[in-house]
Amino acid sequence: MGEIISGKKLSKEIREQVRLEVEALKVTYNAVPHLAVVLVGSDPASESYVKAKERACIKAGMKSTIILKDESLEEAELLSIIDKLNKDEGVHGVLVQLPLPKHIDENKVIDAIDFKKDVDGFHPLNIAYMHMGREAIYPATPSGIITMLKSTGIELKGKDAIIIGRSNIVGKPAAMLLMKEHCTVQIAHSRTLNLKEKCLQADIIVAAVGRANTVTEDMVKEGAVIIDVGVNRVDGKLVGDVDFDAIKEKASFITPVPGGVGPMTITSLLQNTVKTFKGLVE
Ligand code: GUN
């Protein structure tokens, strides 16, 4: 039976480390990292994510500002809010919660955020730097995945990893970060043929397609490490993309849903906010 990698437990430990670092920064700089989050509209999932981000910031001793705007906000107004936050020396991290209403061009908004304050790591410059293996702000969910993998103590170098999912937020950056750790990486997706054969070769499987039961026990090599990024609601229950109960018998390590990758995303966001703060004051 595989060991469960608890994102909840790991997050608690790392968030305490972040809190201690923030305390030390306060002594040195007489200032704490300040994250500004812009939420346009009232999507219930977005509202709950934004609240969770604020709670985590405050608990870590950081400053949090949420800017709430009506669904009808014009694109130009949002760009002007971002411009003000970019110029505000008291704000170290800027995050615009996605998705945005249809009439706003998400790319334009992401491009407008100062890449040095881009705690999401979504700005084209941060993505380019990440691809080049240069220092950058890395997207939160893939960073959390790497932190979880490292927490197991397994050697990542030379391992075969397969990522199922090619999104800009998870799949693509996870591939880059795993390559940075010297894994051999394959990216599969919803149209991939022979997924089972490909998964059976893998030492590490990262499932990030958003479809329950995408990875079943017959697709997993004995002793593989399974990272489940999926969040799906099935019969009112929250489940990931992998068949957890069957696979946990075969895997060496597996992440649960909930309590796995989810909490790690906000933890990485806190780490990114500390990073942007240091970048601005040092
Ligand atoms: N919506 C869902 N996930 C994310 C995220 O990581 N960042 C932002 N800004 N919006 C999101």
Side-chain angles (χ1 to χ4, degrees):
M1 167 143 165
E3 209 174 301
I4 291 170
I5 314 172
S6 168
K8 203 172 158 187
K9 184 162 165 265
L10 188 57
S11 272
K12 210 170 164 194
E13 289 162 16
I14 298 173
R15 290 186 198 191
E16 176 57 16
Q17 287 166 16
V18 170
R19 192 187 67 76
L20 293 173
E21 186 172 6
V22 168
E23 253 179 29
L25 290 171
K26 194 173 177 180
V27 171
T28 310
Y29 298 107
N30 197 28
V32 296
H34 179 188
L35 173 67
V37 176
V38 185
L39 173 61
V40 184
S42 53
D43 173 64
S46 291
E47 277 182 342
S48 109
Y49 290 142
V50 165
K51 274 191 200 135
K53 287 169 189 178
E54 172 162 68
R55 269 199 306 274
C57 267
I58 291 169
K59 217 170 161 193
M62 297 190 201
K63 193 171 168 193
S64 159
T65 300
I66 299 179
I67 299 165
L68 288 175
K69 291 287 165 188
D70 193 78
E71 180 90 24
S72 63
L73 183 78
E74 301 262 351
E75 184 182 274
E77 290 178 75
L78 178 55
L79 293 175
S80 146
I81 291 169
I82 293 170
D83 186 52
K84 278 204 197 90
L85 294 171
N86 284 343
K87 289 179 178 145
D88 186 339
E89 285 177 14
V91 171
H92 312 99
V94 176
L95 182 158
V96 178
Q97 188 65 27
L98 304 176
L100 286 166
K102 296 267 176 293
H103 66 277
I104 299 179
D105 182 344
E106 241 166 54
N107 287 335
K108 254 195 205 167
V109 170
I110 291 169
D111 291 357
I113 297 170
D114 179 348
F115 79 100
K116 292 185 179 172
K117 295 190 178 188
D118 167 38
V119 284
D120 264 328
F122 293 168
H123 189 282
L125 264 181
N126 277 317
I127 293 168
Y129 288 150
M130 176 180 63
H131 277 240
M132 294 162 85
R134 284 170 60 171
E135 192 51 45
I137 317 273
Y138 302 139
T141 301
S143 294
I145 292 171
I146 299 295
T147 305
M148 292 181 108
L149 286 170
K150 287 188 173 169
S151 79
T152 64
I154 59 159
E155 170 87 279
L156 295 176
K157 200 192 300 179
K159 292 281 158 65
D160 285 318
I162 186 164
I163 297 148
I164 315 170
R166 55 178 156 177
S167 69
N168 287 330
I169 293 183
V170 183
K172 284 184 211 165
M176 286 302 141
L177 297 185
L178 283 164
M179 239 191 297
K180 193 163 178 274
E181 299 301 326
H182 312 290
C183 287
T184 303
V185 178
Q186 203 170 179
I187 305 178
H189 45 78
S190 55
R191 318 284 164 84
T192 296
L193 300 176
N194 306 318
L195 182 62
K196 179 178 166 178
E197 285 68 28
K198 291 178 173 71
C199 284
L200 275 169
Q201 311 258 318
D203 303 304
I204 299 164
I205 300 178
V206 178
V209 269
R211 198 184 61 202
N213 250 359
T214 297
V215 182
T216 47
E217 181 268 339
D218 58 318
M219 298 166 76
V220 174
K221 180 166 85 172
E222 193 74 44
V225 179
I226 313 293
I227 306 288
D228 193 350
V229 190
V231 183
N232 311 294
R233 208 165 270 283
V234 176
D235 301 329
K237 197 175 156 229
L238 218 54
V239 298
D241 288 350
V242 317
D243 181 2
F244 180 86
D245 289 335
I247 293 176
K248 76 172 191 299
E249 303 302 327
K250 218 170 182 185
S252 56
F253 292 93
I254 185 165
T255 66
V257 176
V261 175
M264 293 301 293
T265 298
I266 292 186
T267 300
S268 301
L269 173 68
L270 297 178
Q271 290 176 310
N272 280 350
T273 308
V274 168
K275 195 166 176 177
T276 57
F277 175 87
K278 287 184 184 167
L280 290 170
V281 295
E282 279 177 0

